[in-house]
């Protein structure tokens, strides 16, 4: 697609320039389209999901912003003046790319364009790590917004604080302030293009790439920052932090001697409280509106980054208590017949483990529907994913896997959901492979009894939230 070089037509002010985004409905493309449009660009796009009729409300939201939508058949790419942008997942054989090449359009990858906008900002704040980066990005964005900094925020998830009836898909915020806060993706290696002044590293663990490559990518990311915010609770991240000069490092951790530390953590089903210790001062009580010890760590990272950006510590600590969470991150869809339905983005071992730990802090059986986010990641994570389920599932929990996400294109299917289920069952946990997702959901609804928690987990599929809502409705009908 793109080779890491930004076309000159993309650099500098984007006001008035014409962009065409291929795959505009994706979690990384939709907020980018919002930011481009908010800065005065003319934006059009196409998406396979639009052609297939998936999540029409999302595309209605794009149209409401003045963004033109076309079928992914080349009909929207009509002028050499258009800058055609696509993610690495879009193949050169897609009709829009063929049309762009025929017309001689400037082309850029999503990652190249985003990193260019990020690097040109006055205060680029990048959030990286295998898990938690969307939440930390949202928390930093909310703190800066609540304290009057008017940031621009690029997120891969809908931020509930900024969602409104007329802007339900608020995965981006376009502000006039200095800060540009963005989550930074390591899965395609594009993290190497970002030049943050403030770099947050949540954790380093297996997901899309092997650990050796992840270490190299994350080390490079924090090496050039004026301030690196690093999680001491993650051994891999802590090891990378040791290579940095102390004056350019701020650490965070739970119940340990870190620059930003949390003590006296008290969990509740949908919130968590702790004492913030930082700067040698007295403890500052904080109560978050999102649950789990992992969100305490996320809040510490966000507070530390905000302080590095000039927000007074007390103001940052107060502001983070107003953060209401992200859609599809431990998102309580509702309760029916005594059964709670939770929608969650968990898709790698660390993310899923954090959600299971949060749920197991309170009584009730877990009925999990986990849709793997691709055949490639499933092959990479197989051993660690199985070990996590074997360790974290209770004896009476039930795990059901439909087949992985697949929206077309070429992909090797060497490891599938049936392989994971066989391994988890061999480890003594209750697991089943039901290839069809609707049938898998129906099985769990049928099994559910009062005090159970149904959890829908997975990434790269916007319809999972709709599935969770359908399951809630089925529970209510079951009655």
């Amino acid at each position: 697609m793109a080779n890491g070089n930004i076309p000159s037509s993309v650099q500098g002010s984007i006001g008035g320039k014409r962009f065409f985004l291929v795959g505009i409905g994706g979690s990384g493309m939709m907020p980018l389209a919002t930011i481009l449009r908010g800065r005065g660009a003319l934006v059009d796009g196409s998406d396979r999901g639009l052609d297939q009729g998936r999540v029409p409300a999302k595309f209605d939201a794009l149209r409401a912003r003045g963004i033109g939508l076309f079928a992914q058949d080349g009909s929207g790419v009509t002028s050499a003046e258009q800058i055609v942008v696509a993610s690495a997942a879009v193949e050169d054989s897609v009709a829009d790319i063929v049309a762009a090449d025929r017309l001689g359009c400037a082309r850029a990858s999503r990652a190249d364009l985003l990193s260019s906008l990020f690097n040109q900002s006055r205060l680029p704040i990048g959030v990286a790590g295998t898990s938690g980066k969307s939440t930390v990005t949202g928390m930093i964005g909310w703190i800066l917004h609540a304290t009057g900094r008017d940031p621009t925020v690029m997120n891969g998830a809908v931020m509930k604080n900024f969602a409104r009836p007329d802007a339900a898909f608020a995965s981006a915020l376009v502000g006039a302030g200095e800060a540009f806060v963005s989550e930074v993706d390591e899965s395609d290696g594009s993290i190497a293009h970002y030049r943050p002044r403030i770099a947050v590293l949540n954790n380093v663990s297996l997901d899309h790439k092997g650990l050796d490559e992840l270490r190299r990518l994350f080390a490079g990311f924090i090496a050039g920052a004026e301030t690196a915010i690093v999680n001491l609770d993650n051994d891999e991240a802590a090891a990378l932090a040791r290579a940095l000069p102390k004056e350019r490092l701020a650490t965070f951790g739970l119940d340990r001697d870190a620059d930003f530390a949390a003590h006296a953590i008290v969990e509740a089903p949908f919130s968590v409280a702790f004492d913030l210790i930082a700067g040698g001062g007295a403890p500052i009580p904080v109560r978050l509106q999102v649950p789990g010890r992992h969100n305490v760590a996320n809040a510490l990272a966000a507070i530390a980054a905000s302080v590095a950006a000039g927000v007074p510590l007390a103001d940052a600590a107060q502001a983070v208590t107003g953060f209401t969470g992200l859609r599809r991150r431990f998102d309580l869809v509702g309760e029916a017949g005594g059964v709670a339905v939770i929608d969650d983005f968990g898709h790698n071992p660390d993310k899923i483990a954090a959600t299971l730990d949060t749920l197991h802090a309170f009584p009730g059986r877990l009925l999990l529907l986990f849709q793997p986010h691709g055949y490639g990641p499933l092959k990479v994570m197989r051993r660690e994913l199985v070990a996590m389920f074997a360790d974290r599932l209770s004896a009476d929990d039930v795990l059901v896997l439909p087949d992985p996400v697949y929206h077309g294109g070429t992909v090797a299917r060497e490891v599938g959901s049936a392989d994971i289920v066989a391994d988890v069952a061999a480890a003594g946990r209750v697991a089943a492979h039901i290839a069809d997702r609707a049938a898998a959901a129906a099985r769990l609804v049928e099994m559910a009894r009062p005090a159970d928690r149904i959890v829908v987990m997975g990434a790269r599929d916007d319809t999972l939230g709709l599935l969770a809502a359908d399951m809630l409705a089925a529970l209510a009908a079951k009655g």
Side-chain angles (χ1 to χ4, degrees):
M1 182 31 140
N3 59 8
N5 297 317
I6 303 293
S8 58
S9 56
V10 178
Q11 299 182 27
S13 173
I14 60 175
K17 292 179 179 176
R18 296 181 61 188
F19 292 86
F20 190 93
L21 276 59
V22 185
I24 196 169
S27 62
M29 293 290 265
M30 189 171 180
L32 178 58
T34 300
I35 291 171
L36 292 172
R37 187 74 187 99
R39 292 188 172 185
L42 304 175
V43 183
D44 297 313
S46 67
D47 196 275
R48 199 172 339 193
L50 174 68
D51 296 348
Q52 296 170 351
R54 289 188 282 114
V55 198
K58 177 169 60 176
F59 298 105
D60 289 343
L62 286 167
R63 291 188 186 96
R65 294 190 175 106
I67 293 170
L69 298 177
F70 295 83
Q72 202 170 84
D73 59 5
S75 61
V77 182
T78 58
S79 170
E81 294 180 0
Q82 288 172 291
I83 301 162
V84 176
V85 184
S87 71
V90 175
E91 298 164 323
D92 286 347
S93 58
V94 170
D96 292 333
I97 303 302
V98 172
D101 289 345
R102 184 181 69 250
L103 292 168
C105 298
R107 287 173 53 190
S109 73
R110 182 201 70 84
D112 286 341
L113 177 54
L114 175 58
S115 62
S116 178
L117 297 174
F118 178 87
N119 294 339
Q120 291 174 46
S121 67
R122 287 167 289 176
L123 180 55
I125 303 172
V127 182
T130 315
S131 302
K133 51 184 175 286
S134 295
T135 298
V136 174
T137 298
M139 285 179 168
I140 296 171
W142 174 247
I143 292 170
L144 296 180
H145 173 82
T147 57
R149 269 66 177 181
D150 197 18
T152 292
V153 183
M154 165 79 189
N155 208 331
V158 172
M159 297 173 282
K160 292 183 181 179
N161 287 96
F162 302 116
R164 309 184 307 272
D166 61 339
F169 293 86
S171 54
L173 188 67
V174 184
E178 292 189 348
F180 190 125
V181 187
S182 180
E183 66 169 284
V184 177
D185 191 9
E186 78 286 349
S187 66
D188 59 0
S190 63
I191 187 173
H193 302 325
Y194 290 79
R195 303 288 179 266
R197 276 180 55 191
I198 300 170
V200 178
L201 179 56
N202 288 341
N203 41 57
V204 181
S205 62
L206 206 62
D207 192 345
H208 299 84
K209 295 183 178 295
L211 278 175
D212 287 342
E213 186 173 1
L214 289 174
R215 291 179 187 120
R216 178 181 59 79
L217 289 170
F218 288 131
F221 175 71
I222 63 176
E226 291 180 11
T227 305
I229 315 293
V230 182
N231 183 7
L232 291 185
D233 291 328
N234 179 260
D235 291 341
E236 291 283 350
L240 295 179
R242 287 195 284 271
L244 297 177
K246 288 187 178 180
E247 64 271 15
R248 291 200 290 113
L249 177 66
T251 60
F252 65 95
L254 309 186
D255 294 316
R256 65 168 63 236
D257 183 17
D259 297 315
F260 294 80
H263 295 272
I265 299 169
V266 179
E267 296 188 67
F270 292 96
S271 65
V272 62
F274 64 96
D275 285 343
L276 169 65
I277 311 292
I284 300 173
V286 177
R287 185 175 188 87
L288 302 176
Q289 297 184 55
V290 288
R293 293 173 66 88
H294 63 292
N295 275 319
V296 175
N298 290 337
L300 293 178
I303 291 167
S306 300
V307 169
V311 179
L313 174 64
D315 292 350
Q318 174 59 37
V320 80
T321 65
F323 176 72
T324 53
L326 305 178
R327 197 171 297 163
R328 298 218 63 238
R329 269 56 171 189
F330 206 97
D331 195 358
L332 178 63
V333 180
E335 188 172 339
V339 179
V341 178
I342 296 165
D343 186 22
D344 190 72
F345 192 69
H347 62 277
N348 65 38
D350 277 4
K351 285 185 172 74
I352 297 172
T355 296
L356 297 184
D357 288 348
T358 300
L359 287 162
H360 279 141
F362 301 93
R365 182 175 65 154
L366 304 184
L367 305 180
L368 307 179
L369 188 153
F370 169 50
Q371 178 180 266
H373 61 298
Y375 287 93
L378 203 56
K379 179 181 178 181
V380 171
M381 296 186 297
R382 177 177 183 173
R383 182 181 295 108
E384 290 75 11
L385 198 59
V386 170
M388 179 276 302
F389 278 127
D391 182 54
R392 292 310 210 282
L393 290 174
S394 295
D396 59 347
D397 292 339
V398 178
L399 172 66
V400 174
L401 271 70
D403 284 340
V405 173
Y406 177 69
H407 294 319
T410 56
V411 62
R413 305 188 187 191
E414 297 173 47
V415 176
S417 295
D419 299 301
I420 303 302
V421 162
D423 292 350
V424 172
R429 297 298 183 229
V430 180
H433 169 229
I434 302 176
D436 179 73
R437 195 179 72 177
R443 173 76 63 84
L444 292 184
V445 168
E446 181 184 359
M447 293 178 61
R449 58 180 186 251
D452 285 346
R453 281 84 51 86
I454 290 178
V455 190
V456 175
M457 308 183 94
R460 289 186 183 168
D461 190 335
D462 293 322
T463 64
L464 283 169
L466 301 178
L467 178 70
D470 289 344
M471 294 175 78
L472 180 64
L475 285 167
K478 179 182 170 183

